[in-house]
């Protein structure tokens, strides 16, 4: 393994360890019947730095194919956010920065090369939706960028203005949706909407004993038919007091990574998942 690869792996492990600690106090049950000011005060008092999307480290191979060094890999994601304000902005919203990074690592090939790295920074405004003293959802407006940091024929890049909504049905179920207006600046991925989609919807479910989590996301690709990409996660909590899970991760469709956004992938992976005690962003 090269020196650069070792440095990247050490950085990832360090970030995941930090997020594993901070994520344990970010989400608490939201059904307590208290007034709106108390709910906002509770969120304002929470740590500014914490988990954003799921953080995971997985290994797997293609479905319905004989496993080989070319269709098997490691996939991991690091994702965190930094809240910049309390809920003092108009409509009691708050401003935050976030950063997510996905990596596709061909560990079964000689020299262990990274196949693709996808960088996804952004800035956004979020507003809690509170009704009759209950937190029932969240609205978020995002300006985000995604690219793979490469040049020439391998360069991939696009920007999105996204509006997302999450509805907390009860302590065990959240439904969510996200729609984006694309600003495509990459010359090598002008048709990315046909593969990486124009909106997504899904749900997250938690068992009553909080040991199991299940996520389902459908990303609608451009077009009038029902074509789409499917993402499924199943996790089992390692211990009742941790936010670490054994994870089963399934991706079916296009756009799993930017370099191969127009190539079909159907892959099943297993590994370690780190996520908030309640629901994660998407």
């Amino acid at each position: 393994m090269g020196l650069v690869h070792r440095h990247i792996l050490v950085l990832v492990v360090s970030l995941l360890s930090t997020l594993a600690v901070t994520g344990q106090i970010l989400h608490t049950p939201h059904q307590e019947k208290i007034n709106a000011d108390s709910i906002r005060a509770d969120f304002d008092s929470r740590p500014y730095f914490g988990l954003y999307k799921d953080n995971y480290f997985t290994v797997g191979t293609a479905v319905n194919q004989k496993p080989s060094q070319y269709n098997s890999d490691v996939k991991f994601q690091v994702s965190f956010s930094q809240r910049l304000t309390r809920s003092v902005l108009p409509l009691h919203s708050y401003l935050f920065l976030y950063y997510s990074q996905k990596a596709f690592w061909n560990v079964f090939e000689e020299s262990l090369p990274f196949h693709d790295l996808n960088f996804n920074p952004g800035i956004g405004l979020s507003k809690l939706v509170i009704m009759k003293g209950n937190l029932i959802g969240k609205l978020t407006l995002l300006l985000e960028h995604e690219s793979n940091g490469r040049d020439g024929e391998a360069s991939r890049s696009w920007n999105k203005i996204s509006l997302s909504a999450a509805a907390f049905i009860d302590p065990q179920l959240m439904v969510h949706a996200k729609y984006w207006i694309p600003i495509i600046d990459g010359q090598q991925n002008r048709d990315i909407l046909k593969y990486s989609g124009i909106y997504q919807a899904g749900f997250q479910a938690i068992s009553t004993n909080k040991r199991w989590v299940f996520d389902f996301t459908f990303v609608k690709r451009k077009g009038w038919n029902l074509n789409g990409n499917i993402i499924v996660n199943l996790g089992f909590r390692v211990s009742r007091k941790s936010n670490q899970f054994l994870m089963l991760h399934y991706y079916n469709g296009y756009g799993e990574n930017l370099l191969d956004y127009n190539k079909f992938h159907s892959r099943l992976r297993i590994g370690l998942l780190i996520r908030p005690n309640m629901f994660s962003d998407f």
Side-chain angles (χ1 to χ4, degrees), residues 161-179:
I161 301 173
S162 305
L163 178 63
S164 65
F168 307 128
I169 307 303
D170 59 40
Q172 279 74 53
L173 181 63
M174 178 190 77
V175 296
H176 59 81
K178 184 177 181 181
Y179 174 80

Side-chain angles (χ1 to χ4, degrees), residues 56-63 70-77 102-108 115-116 230-235 246-253 255-257 260 264-273:
Y56 54 79
F57 193 97
T58 62
V59 60
T61 189
V63 177
Y70 302 109
N71 63 12
S72 306
D73 64 2
V74 161
K75 176 184 178 182
F76 62 83
Q77 176 170 278
K102 284 189 298 185
F104 299 83
W105 191 5
N106 293 339
V107 297
F108 301 104
H115 179 68
D116 201 27
I230 295 174
I231 308 165
V232 178
N233 293 322
L234 177 64
L246 298 177
M247 178 192 195
L248 186 66
H249 174 65
Y250 174 64
Y251 192 99
N252 185 85
E256 185 177 22
N257 65 70
D260 300 332
F264 179 82
H265 288 159
S266 182
R267 292 192 174 177
L268 186 66
R269 300 178 175 93
I270 59 173
L272 176 68
L273 166 68

Side-chain angles (χ1 to χ4, degrees), residues 41-107:
D42 175 62
F43 273 78
D44 286 347
S45 66
R46 296 183 182 192
Y48 280 78
F49 177 83
L51 297 174
Y52 182 57
K53 300 178 181 179
D54 285 344
N55 289 258
Y56 54 79
F57 193 97
T58 62
V59 60
T61 189
V63 177
N64 296 326
Q65 295 182 27
K66 182 179 179 180
S68 72
Q69 65 188 62
Y70 302 109
N71 63 12
S72 306
D73 64 2
V74 161
K75 176 184 178 182
F76 62 83
Q77 176 170 278
V78 175
S79 182
F80 55 87
S81 66
Q82 173 71 24
R83 181 164 53 88
L84 300 177
T85 67
R86 296 187 177 186
S87 55
V88 296
L89 299 178
L91 302 178
H92 297 290
S93 60
Y94 57 92
L95 181 69
F96 69 95
L97 292 173
Y98 76 87
Y99 178 80
S100 298
Q101 179 176 320
K102 284 189 298 185
F104 299 83
W105 191 5
N106 293 339
V107 297

Side-chain angles (χ1 to χ4, degrees), residues 157-207:
S157 176
W158 66 327
N159 306 284
K160 294 183 284 186
I161 301 173
S162 305
L163 178 63
S164 65
F168 307 128
I169 307 303
D170 59 40
Q172 279 74 53
L173 181 63
M174 178 190 77
V175 296
H176 59 81
K178 184 177 181 181
Y179 174 80
W180 48 85
I181 300 173
I183 306 171
I184 302 173
D185 57 354
Q187 296 302 313
Q188 310 302 327
N189 54 270
R190 305 300 295 181
D191 60 346
I192 193 170
L193 298 182
K194 293 170 56 178
Y195 301 96
S196 295
I198 54 177
Y199 65 84
Q200 67 181 48
F203 67 90
Q204 297 180 21
I206 305 173
S207 64

